Amino acid sequence: MVRKKIYHIIEWVIALAACGYLAYRLAIYDDYATLWASLRSMGVGQWSALVLCVALMPVNMSIEAWRWKTLMNGDALLNDANDGMMTWKEAHRQVYYSKLAGLITPWRLGEYPARGLLMKNDGNGANGGLWSRVLSMGAVGSATMTAAIIATGLVAMIFEIGDLRFEIAYYLFVGAVLLLLIVALVLAPRLLRRWATVSRRLILISLGQSFVRLACWCVQLALVLYALNVFQLSTFSFQLLPVYYLLVTITPNVPIAEVGVRGAWAITLFGSMNAALAGVLLWGINTLLPCLIWPFLRKNENNFA
C-alpha cells in the first residue's frame, strides 16, 4: 500500500511538472503572429494536409505502443504464449505517459522508467525482475529506433542530389555511430541476458517496426511542410525528410532546446522560415497533444503494483 501511494505521488509529480513545462514553452514562444498568419493563408488543400498530419499522431503513438508491447512481451509473443503478456491498452497508456516524463528529462531519459512506473510488478520479469527488464528493453528500443533513423538518413544524405553537402568527416562520424549501434544490437542478447531475455529475432522485429514509425514521421513532416507552403510537390526532394530526422537525432539537445534545434535544422534543409514553424508545429502535434491526451488514458489507481 505504501509503495502504491509513492508510485501515485511520483506519477502526478511527473505529470504536473511536464504540464508546467509545456505551459512555459507556450508562454515564451515569441512567433505566434507569424504562425497565425501562415495558418490564415492556408487553402483547403493545406488545411486538409494539416488535419491529416494531426490524424496521424495516434497512428504514430500506436506504432510506438506496438514496438513497446513487442519488446516487453518478448519471447512469449514470439512463441504465441498469452500468460502475463502486455495488452494494447496498457502499452498505449504507458507510451502516452512516457511523453510527459521524456519532456522534462535530458535526452528523454525518463521515458522508459516512466513506463515501468505504470507497470504492475507481477514477478514475471525475466531474470532480474520488472525494472531490469524495462530498462533493458528500453535500451534495445532506443537503439533500434536510432539505428533506423541513422541508416535511413545516411542513405538519403549520400544520394541527395541538391545543393546540400556535408563534409566527409560528418559522414564518417554518422557511419561510426551507426556501426556502434549495430555492434551493440548484435551483442545485446549476450550483454543483457542477466537482466532480460533478448533474442536477435526480437531485435530484428523491433528494427522493422522502427522503420515503420520513421516512415510515419516522414509522412507527417511532409504534410505539415506542404500545409505551410514550404514546398511544391513537383520540385520537393523527399529524401530530405529522413535527413531532417537524422540531424535532429544526432544533434545533442535537451528538451528545453529541442524546439529550437528542430526549427534550425528545418530552415537549413528546407530553406524557408516557414520550415521552422513547421518543425515547431509538428513538435506540438507529436509531443504536446499526447501529453494532453494522457489524463484521459490514465491507469486506474487499483492497477498499480
Side-chain angles (χ1 to χ4, degrees), residues 82-103:
N82 293 317
D83 294 339
M85 290 181 64
M86 178 182 290
T87 65
W88 272 103
K89 189 175 183 180
E90 292 305 306
H92 275 85
R93 283 172 168 166
Q94 289 170 25
V95 298
Y96 274 89
Y97 180 65
S98 68
K99 279 287 187 181
L100 291 165
L103 191 67

Side-chain angles (χ1 to χ4, degrees), residues 51-70:
V51 170
L52 181 55
C53 180
V54 174
L56 284 174
M57 183 278 290
V59 175
N60 166 34
M61 296 298 289
S62 292
I63 296 171
E64 177 57 18
W66 176 39
R67 284 187 352 109
W68 182 235
K69 178 176 179 290
T70 299

